[in-house]
Amino acid sequence: MRIAVEVASRATCLRRHVGAVLVKDNRILSTGYNGSPLGMPHCTEVGCLIVKREDEDGSTKEHCIRTVHAEENAILHAAKHGVSTEGSTLYVTAGPPCVACAKNLINAGIKRIIYSGNYPGEHAVRFLKEANIELVSADPSILKSKHTDELCF
């Protein structure tokens, strides 16, 4: 999880820094952080692209649609380099994942997700449980930087 925290430091989202690490057999397969698609301007350069969207609970919230989520980027990076994610564990500094990421993680064959946070995603959690993916909530103190008392995201 500490590696996921370091990966999150590379995020180019102005609203939240999230890092993800895919691991199998104690080996890192891939990492990802939230940021813009390759070759496109980042939020740090041109600002967020905010739209209003209805969340699962029916409330309306503002979301940046420029950013690719850290979980997605970890899966896509593995795919780009021909690395199988089947049976792997995802460590992510936020979570549980949103419903879109949950569906991608299911299809990527991830079997365990260790996350920190409390993202309100009841449908995502239900989908992950139906797919027999183990969800583990990590102690949030693990996200504290070794160098300061501040949270890393």
Side-chain angles (χ1 to χ4, degrees):
M1 187 62 92
R2 287 225 181 260
I3 294 171
V5 168
E6 290 300 319
V7 171
S9 72
R10 295 185 47 84
T12 59
C13 176
L14 296 172
R15 297 165 56 106
R16 189 172 197 186
H17 288 194
V18 179
V21 179
L22 282 169
V23 175
K24 185 173 181 180
D25 298 328
N26 295 318
R27 294 193 178 264
I28 295 173
L29 302 177
S30 179
T31 64
Y33 54 87
N34 53 331
S36 297
L38 286 172
M40 297 182 71
H42 291 280
C43 295
T44 52
E45 300 165 341
V46 295
C48 294
L49 185 55
I50 302 294
V51 298
K52 289 186 178 187
R53 185 173 72 195
E54 188 174 311
D55 270 358
E56 290 180 27
D57 64 3
S59 65
T60 301
K61 295 200 173 89
E62 292 183 342
H63 296 274
C64 178
I65 61 169
R66 185 182 315 280
T67 297
V68 178
H69 290 185
E71 303 92 327
E72 293 171 306
N73 271 328
I75 293 167
L76 293 167
H77 181 75
K80 184 176 180 178
H81 295 284
V83 176
S84 173
T85 57
E86 185 72 37
S88 64
T89 295
L90 175 77
Y91 293 84
V92 63
T93 62
C98 72
V99 72
C101 286
K103 293 184 286 185
N104 289 327
L105 293 164
I106 290 166
N107 281 354
I110 283 48
K111 293 300 176 196
R112 185 173 183 223
I113 300 169
I114 301 172
Y115 67 92
S116 184
N118 193 21
Y119 185 85
E122 72 178 69
H123 294 301
V125 170
R126 182 169 50 91
F127 290 168
L128 292 165
K129 286 182 178 179
E130 286 176 11
N132 294 317
I133 295 176
E134 180 184 3
L135 284 169
V136 179
S137 178
D139 179 351
S141 68
I142 197 153
L143 297 179
K144 288 199 177 186
S145 169
K146 291 188 277 186
H147 307 293
T148 69
D149 286 335
E150 295 178 18
L151 292 178
C152 295
F153 58 97

